[in-house]
Amino acid sequence: MRVIQIRRYPVKSMLGEVVEAADVGERGLAGDRLWAVRDPDGKFGSGKNTRRFRRMPGLFGLRAYAGEPAVVELPDGRRFAADDPDGHRAVGDLLGRTVTLAPESGVPHHDEGPVSVITTAALRRLTELAGGEPDGSGVDPLRFRANLLIDVPGSGFPEDDWPGGELRIGPDLVLRPVRALTRCVMIDMAQERAGERNDLLKTLADRHALTFGVYATVERPGRVAFGDAVIPRPR
């Protein structure tokens, strides 16, 4: 088992970046989900409506890069620092609403936990259940906006057995999987190369209790890098 993809999303619900390595601390990957789009009511932009979040179509047309502060790239190639009022206005114009970009303060911008993990085995199983992408490839991992994609042989949901145990990654990092990640309509939305679908969420609801992947807390901080070995320790 090895790490074959590392992703972070410096602004919640925007497109993010693939990195070769990242430091991982108590709140997760360095630079991940440190900012969020916020409307005048104080709700954060998302692909869904909840008590905390407001659905804002168009966020997947924006890309964010980690930095101090994060940098937001618009579809026309313009870039703004996340704390630039001109950038806030440009993002608002694109979304058709008044917004600002807010740094994380008391409440984390993560949905459920600091580090999210999916496996290639689970992607193969979901492809078997729902079919792959139009180009003939399997279900695209970017749909799940996970921090870590772990290569696991075979087909199934091996991560279902991880909560309560440990994941030892590379020389130092230790994660503690907490529970399965409940999914929402965002996995069927078009983003980057993955087109719109209407079947993945229904398939997970019917066949896997609406969950895919797990979220984990950080038991021991460390660095994760592409190719790192992953050793699960059962609970």
Side-chain angles (χ1 to χ4, degrees):
M1 294 171 53
R2 294 194 175 273
V3 175
I4 60 169
Q5 193 173 85
I6 304 167
R7 285 182 176 265
R8 64 183 173 197
Y9 299 88
V11 179
K12 179 177 169 56
S13 298
M14 291 185 185
L15 301 179
E17 56 186 354
V18 176
V19 297
E20 289 295 307
D23 292 324
V24 184
E26 183 178 348
R27 73 163 306 281
L29 273 66
D32 187 49
R33 294 173 172 91
L34 284 174
W35 294 77
V37 177
R38 184 172 62 190
D39 72 6
D41 294 333
K43 288 198 172 186
F44 296 117
S46 179
K48 58 190 177 184
N49 288 310
T50 69
R51 181 179 59 84
R52 285 185 63 203
F53 303 128
R54 174 157 289 150
R55 187 169 185 267
M56 295 185 188
L59 284 174
F60 280 173
L62 301 163
R63 186 179 298 277
Y65 301 92
E68 295 182 2
V71 173
V72 175
E73 182 179 77
L74 275 61
D76 62 10
R78 287 180 293 161
R79 290 189 175 193
F80 297 91
D83 60 357
D84 184 345
D86 289 339
H88 297 184
R89 285 188 287 271
V91 171
D93 289 344
L94 185 71
L95 299 178
R97 64 179 74 221
T98 300
V99 298
T100 57
L101 269 69
E104 180 177 302
S105 54
V107 179
H109 291 327
H110 301 92
D111 284 343
E112 296 191 62
V115 181
S116 54
V117 183
I118 61 174
T119 68
T120 56
L123 288 168
R124 293 186 196 100
R125 181 56 181 149
L126 184 56
T127 299
E128 292 167 358
L129 294 172
E133 305 294 347
D135 64 1
S137 62
V139 173
D140 199 315
L142 67 82
R143 293 184 177 279
F144 301 94
R145 300 176 63 81
N147 295 125
L148 304 181
L149 173 60
I150 297 176
D151 189 29
V152 179
S155 171
F157 298 101
E159 62 273 23
D160 287 355
D161 296 327
W162 292 351
E166 292 181 345
L167 287 180
R168 295 179 174 266
I169 301 176
D172 299 310
L173 180 63
V174 179
L175 302 181
R176 185 169 295 281
V178 176
R179 67 176 175 83
L181 274 163
T182 302
R183 295 299 175 172
C184 68
V185 296
M186 291 178 73
I187 65 172
D188 279 320
M189 292 179 178
Q191 55 176 306
E192 295 190 54
R193 61 182 179 266
E196 186 170 355
R197 296 183 65 148
N198 61 6
D199 59 334
L200 293 178
L201 190 64
K202 183 179 186 304
T203 299
L204 289 177
D206 291 343
R207 304 297 294 271
H208 201 241
L210 207 61
T211 65
F212 192 90
V214 295
Y215 85 82
T217 56
V218 180
E219 187 78 3
R220 186 172 70 200
R223 188 165 177 83
V224 60
F226 177 86
D228 274 351
V230 179
I231 302 173
R233 297 286 178 88
R235 54 182 176 270

